[in-house]
Amino acid sequence: MMCIMKSFEARNIKKMFTLGHNQIGVLSSVTYSFLQGQLTTIQGASGTGKTTLLQILGGLEKPDEGEVLLDNQSLYRLSKNALSELRNRRIGFIFQFYYLLPELSALENVMLAAMIGGKAAKERAHLLLDQVGLSHRMEHRPSELSGGEQQRVAIARALMNQPDLILADEPTGNLDVQTGKRVLDLLLDLQQREGLTAVLVTHDGGIAACGTQQLQLKDGQLVKL
């Protein structure tokens, strides 16, 4: 059963990387409260730390300092198992590269997110693949699908567990312009229809303009556009 998210925020997030003998600051005191039920876009050039920030927001990479709070629960104060369970239940990830398992069909890749093969999971996977326009391609493996089709499978997979938060990292970055637009339109439609809170990072100003709230990551800080 989907939780209804009341708040999602980053507080004083700092992250540094070591390059040789030097410490490189990527994120510097990032603090932001994301709008519930809305799409926030974060624009920035390559190498500015967008992916790092998204991974921190999703509980995939621990910051050096600061907190990420989902409904006032600090992600990085949870045990490893509890954090993994929260990610699986409440957060859907969409990446530039689709990360579909090549030996599984589209249907099986979507169902895998639920970690079970029961009737309810199969019915929801069918429904989601129908919603992304792939009801006729359910039994096809990734190698038999186009890039746009694989990304639509990845979107369906991200929605499988009825998350209330979607984090998307350059979701159209590996697609041609026309296909990317169709995939983006689909993602926006599903986000609005489901009332999901979503954060999308991109280097593309046109895609960033789709956000209800539009931000830029510059010099390790989030600024409003």
Side-chain angles (χ1 to χ4, degrees):
M1 184 176 181
M2 184 178 73
C3 297
I4 303 300
M5 185 168 60
K6 299 179 179 65
S7 64
F8 179 53
E9 58 184 309
R11 290 184 185 172
N12 197 36
I13 296 296
K14 297 181 181 180
K15 186 68 177 179
M16 302 193 66
F17 291 105
T18 300
L19 186 63
H21 297 292
N22 299 317
Q23 289 282 313
I24 308 297
V26 178
L27 302 174
S28 176
S29 300
V30 172
T31 296
Y32 193 76
S33 294
F34 295 90
L35 296 176
Q36 191 262 332
Q38 304 295 322
L39 170 66
T40 299
T41 55
I42 301 174
Q43 184 181 357
S46 178
T48 54
K50 302 187 304 298
T51 293
T52 298
L53 176 58
L54 204 72
Q55 290 176 339
I56 289 172
L57 292 176
L60 294 174
E61 183 169 342
K62 189 175 182 179
D64 295 326
E65 294 182 31
E67 293 185 299
V68 176
L69 296 104
L70 182 57
D71 291 340
N72 296 316
Q73 183 175 43
S74 180
L75 300 192
Y76 293 102
R77 294 187 184 183
L78 296 173
S79 68
K80 184 177 179 180
N81 287 342
L83 178 56
S84 179
E85 181 182 351
L86 182 145
R87 282 198 308 263
N88 187 56
R89 266 191 312 113
R90 303 197 63 185
I91 305 175
F93 295 92
I94 303 168
F95 303 100
Q96 177 178 351
F97 300 100
Y98 325 117
Y99 299 118
L100 302 177
L101 294 182
E103 68 274 16
L104 300 182
S105 67
L107 180 64
E108 290 166 337
N109 266 286
V110 175
M111 287 178 62
L112 191 65
M115 297 296 189
I116 57 172
K119 182 179 179 181
K122 191 170 186 178
E123 288 177 351
R124 177 155 177 79
H126 270 276
L127 173 65
L128 288 168
L129 284 169
D130 184 54
Q131 287 180 343
V132 300
L134 290 176
S135 57
H136 62 302
R137 305 282 272 167
M138 292 187 187
E139 300 304 327
H140 291 251
R141 294 185 179 184
S143 61
E144 301 171 302
L145 302 174
S146 69
E149 288 171 333
Q150 289 184 64
Q151 190 61 296
R152 283 187 276 161
V153 173
I155 290 171
R157 179 185 58 193
L159 296 173
M160 182 65 194
N161 288 337
Q162 296 182 283
D164 48 4
L165 173 64
I166 291 290
L167 300 177
D169 185 5
E170 298 276 10
T172 63
N174 205 34
L175 304 172
D176 63 72
V177 174
Q178 187 175 11
T179 303
K181 184 181 185 309
R182 288 198 298 267
V183 168
L184 180 64
D185 288 345
L186 170 66
L187 179 57
L188 294 176
D189 179 65
L190 290 170
Q191 179 267 324
Q192 292 168 6
R193 191 188 312 172
E194 299 283 336
L196 299 169
T197 301
V199 182
L200 184 154
V201 302
T202 180
H203 68 278
D204 189 312
I207 293 174
C210 295
T212 307
Q213 184 71 67
Q214 299 165 37
L215 308 173
Q216 183 177 26
L217 184 60
K218 186 176 181 181
D219 298 326
Q221 300 270 349
L222 280 180
V223 295
K224 291 185 178 181
L225 291 175

